[in-house]
Amino acid sequence: MSKMWSGRFKQGAAKLLDEFNASLPFDRVLYQEDIEGSIAHATMLGAQGILTQEETDILCEGLTKVRKEIEAGDFVFVIEDEDIHMAIEKRLTQLVGDVGGKLHTARSRNDQVALDFRLYVLRSNRAIARHLETLIDTLLKIAKDHTKTLMPGMTHLQHAQPINFAYHLLAYMYMFKRDIERFESSYERNNLLPLGCAALAGTPHPVDRQLSAKLLGFAGVTPNCLDTVSDRDFALEILFNIATMMMHISRLSEELILWSSSEFRFVTFSDEYSTGSSIMPQKKNPDVPELLRGKSGRVYGNLIGLLSVLKGLPLAYNKDMQEDKEGVFDSVQTATLSLQILTAAMATLGVNADKMGAACKVGHLSATDLADYLVRTCNIPFREAHHITGRVVALAEEKGCDVSELSYEALASIDSRIQEDVLACLPLEASMNARNSEGGTATSRTLEQLTHIEQWLKKKEA
């Protein structure tokens, strides 16, 4: 069968060109969006009198049949059809006859693919955001049990100050909350209809773009057709949002890998989400977070790939832009599966509170509390207090104990201005709870943050 665009050509396309030129092997994913867009377009054409009501009904019924064929697996995809748009239109014409050729009135593949792809991306934004909400809710459930579970907070991967485990998990909850806000913002910004722009300059037919937008659930229409058909900012945005989200997942994964090691033993993965070694029978490997960490590189590549495709393109549409979809499809699939398995792995995670608490006794985590005490109680300038505390740490190192375990006499031997009430601020739990500024790790502040996240989630569900 000849191409639908073959009128000005004397020779048929080479088979190699068909294979190279076609996007059908991957853009068939967009069949749902393509059919929805075509039904809305036909409905609008009918409302505007461009088609008769009978023609509109025939087209909409035919498109519904095509969708059922695809979903039933009865639709035959042929590479010569090039893309999902042509494949559906050809089958529609086979079903309904010549009236099928009227569907493309006042429409180009340029605005048609822009519509299909935009619908897919908008829906993916929302779907990924919902998966993120489920992940945050899972972390919230874990955190509620650990607002007093001490663990070492770190800088430079060195023990720094005591925090509680819930507080640490909250840091990731707020990262994922920002991710959700980015997906939502992108949805709102890009929720505009491209259909009706035709090839690049609009159409002379009396179309009603606002009606099409209403039928498809868009908030409005794009304001400039030349920009619209060449715009892939919405695709770049979801790729960036996924890349940022996967960076956050990768950071959490790195810590989970460390925490599950024999050196830490802070957490234990369930057997369901662990793997073994082919040669070492004792091994229990954290493959889930390792793969999650690795997949961040995959989605970064998809973002850079599309940026590179678009960077030098003149207006308006160019065939280069066919390269816009595979990376997005891959990143969306990667993000979805990653969120699902991370949520499941976290829901079954074992938390070893005793190991976390024991680790807090390494590294003199309450040293800063001693310096703060010297400033606050003894009116010593912080730089001098810092020096005095350093000498106390050196003494503790000599004695082979933690600063929090030194006696008052040992502390006073370093500086006579230290009073016995210093002992109240050095215990690890006291050190953690002393950090009660807004956003701090004190259990009272941690509970505030947990309440904030919980209330935010409830608003999302309402």
Side-chain angles (χ1 to χ4, degrees):
M1 183 177 179
S2 62
K3 307 285 186 186
M4 291 186 175
W5 44 257
S6 62
R8 63 94 64 218
F9 289 82
K10 295 180 179 179
Q11 290 181 293
K15 187 175 186 300
L16 184 59
L17 175 61
D18 284 336
E19 294 176 359
F20 183 69
N21 191 50
S23 59
L24 187 58
F26 56 84
D27 72 11
R28 67 176 66 181
V29 171
L30 299 174
Y31 80 88
Q32 181 75 29
E33 289 79 8
D34 195 75
I35 291 172
E36 285 180 29
S38 290
I39 289 174
H41 185 63
T43 302
M44 182 276 296
L45 292 176
Q48 293 300 103
I50 300 171
L51 295 180
T52 66
Q53 188 58 52
E54 181 183 6
E55 289 171 331
T56 298
D57 292 342
I58 290 172
L59 288 172
C60 290
E61 290 171 9
L63 287 164
T64 301
K65 289 180 182 178
V66 174
R67 176 167 52 199
K68 289 179 179 178
E69 286 184 1
I70 294 174
E71 291 174 347
D74 297 330
F75 191 97
V76 179
F77 291 100
V78 180
I79 196 72
E80 288 77 15
D81 291 336
E82 293 186 25
D83 54 39
I84 189 63
H85 326 295
M86 288 298 196
I88 288 173
E89 184 178 335
K90 184 181 83 172
R91 179 56 181 153
L92 174 67
T93 302
Q94 290 171 349
L95 289 171
V96 304
D98 290 344
V99 69
K102 293 189 176 184
L103 178 62
H104 212 54
T105 306
R107 186 175 70 169
S108 164
R109 274 194 294 180
N110 292 359
D111 61 343
Q112 187 178 3
V113 68
L115 169 67
D116 295 358
F117 196 25
R118 189 175 291 237
L119 279 172
Y120 172 88
V121 168
L122 289 174
R123 291 168 179 175
S124 297
N125 274 310
R126 284 192 159 176
I128 293 170
R130 287 194 293 270
H131 285 302
L132 278 164
E133 289 171 23
T134 304
L135 174 59
I136 291 174
D137 186 57
T138 300
L139 295 176
L140 184 66
K141 288 182 173 68
I142 300 171
K144 284 181 176 180
D145 293 331
H146 294 284
T147 60
K148 296 181 180 180
T149 300
L150 291 173
M151 69 176 294
M154 299 187 186
T155 63
H156 307 280
L157 207 58
Q158 303 295 312
H159 290 202
Q161 294 176 343
I163 61 175
N164 64 71
F165 186 50
Y167 182 71
H168 197 112
L169 292 178
L170 274 161
Y172 285 105
M173 289 185 233
Y174 280 108
M175 288 185 207
F176 295 135
K177 179 176 180 289
R178 291 195 299 274
D179 289 328
I180 289 173
E181 290 165 351
R182 270 184 285 270
F183 284 112
E184 290 176 340
S185 173
S186 184
Y187 180 93
E188 295 300 325
R189 181 167 43 259
N190 294 294
N191 189 24
L192 298 173
L193 176 81
L195 199 60
C197 285
L200 76 159
T203 173
H205 295 279
V207 298
D208 185 346
R209 296 187 68 206
Q210 296 294 340
L211 174 59
S212 297
K214 183 178 180 181
L215 290 170
L216 289 166
F218 285 96
V221 304
T222 56
N224 180 279
C225 291
L226 184 62
D227 169 51
T228 297
V229 297
S230 64
D231 171 34
R232 291 301 182 268
D233 288 2
F234 62 91
L236 288 170
E237 284 186 31
I238 197 171
L239 288 175
F240 172 79
N241 294 341
I242 289 172
T244 303
M245 180 197 78
M246 289 301 296
M247 178 268 291
H248 293 152
I249 288 176
S250 183
R251 295 182 72 180
L252 174 57
S253 296
E254 171 70 8
E255 296 204 306
L256 290 169
I257 293 163
L258 289 171
W259 292 345
S260 65
S261 68
S262 298
E263 286 72 22
F264 282 80
R265 297 186 183 179
F266 287 0
V267 300
T268 304
F269 284 100
S270 70
D271 289 353
E272 292 177 279
Y273 296 101
S274 301
T275 62
S277 165
S278 64
I279 188 172
M280 295 168 284
Q282 82 280 9
K283 293 290 296 296
K284 187 176 183 181
N285 297 327
D287 278 14
V288 167
E290 287 177 352
L291 274 170
L292 290 171
R293 186 176 58 184
K295 286 183 183 296
S296 62
R298 179 182 186 134
V299 299
Y300 292 176
N302 290 333
L303 171 60
I304 297 301
L306 185 54
L307 282 167
S308 300
V309 166
L310 296 172
K311 72 176 181 65
L313 295 186
L315 295 175
Y317 183 82
N318 297 271
K319 192 67 172 182
D320 314 47
M321 294 169 68
Q322 184 169 292
E323 292 296 307
D324 59 358
K325 296 174 194 65
E326 288 178 277
V328 172
F329 295 158
D330 180 70
S331 285
V332 167
Q333 183 180 30
T334 298
T336 301
L337 182 57
S338 295
L339 286 167
Q340 289 173 330
I341 197 163
L342 176 59
T343 299
M346 292 302 297
T348 57
L349 190 73
V351 180
N352 305 322
D354 291 343
K355 291 290 184 182
M356 290 182 180
C360 288
K361 294 182 179 179
V362 177
H364 312 290
L365 301 189
S366 55
T368 306
D369 297 271
L370 175 57
D372 289 338
Y373 166 85
L374 294 171
V375 171
R376 183 177 63 252
T377 304
C378 305
N379 198 29
I380 297 174
F382 183 78
R383 286 303 171 203
E384 183 182 355
H386 189 287
H387 179 74
I388 293 169
T389 302
R391 292 173 59 200
V392 171
V393 168
L395 177 63
E397 289 284 321
E398 290 176 13
K399 291 181 173 291
C401 66
D402 187 68
V403 163
S404 64
E405 297 170 326
L406 288 172
S407 66
Y408 166 65
E409 290 75 18
L411 293 165
S413 71
I414 297 296
D415 194 293
S416 60
R417 289 171 290 183
I418 297 175
Q419 302 299 310
E420 196 163 358
D421 60 353
V422 71
L423 296 177
C425 69
L426 294 183
L428 295 166
E429 187 172 357
S431 172
M432 184 266 288
N433 281 316
R435 284 158 177 79
N436 62 358
S437 58
E438 188 171 358
T441 187
T443 295
S444 60
R445 292 299 192 178
T446 297
L447 289 168
E448 287 178 357
Q449 294 165 51
L450 289 172
T451 299
H452 175 243
I453 289 288
E454 188 169 31
Q455 290 176 344
W456 175 77
L457 277 176
K458 285 180 179 177
K459 287 181 181 178
K460 303 293 293 180
E461 295 167 0

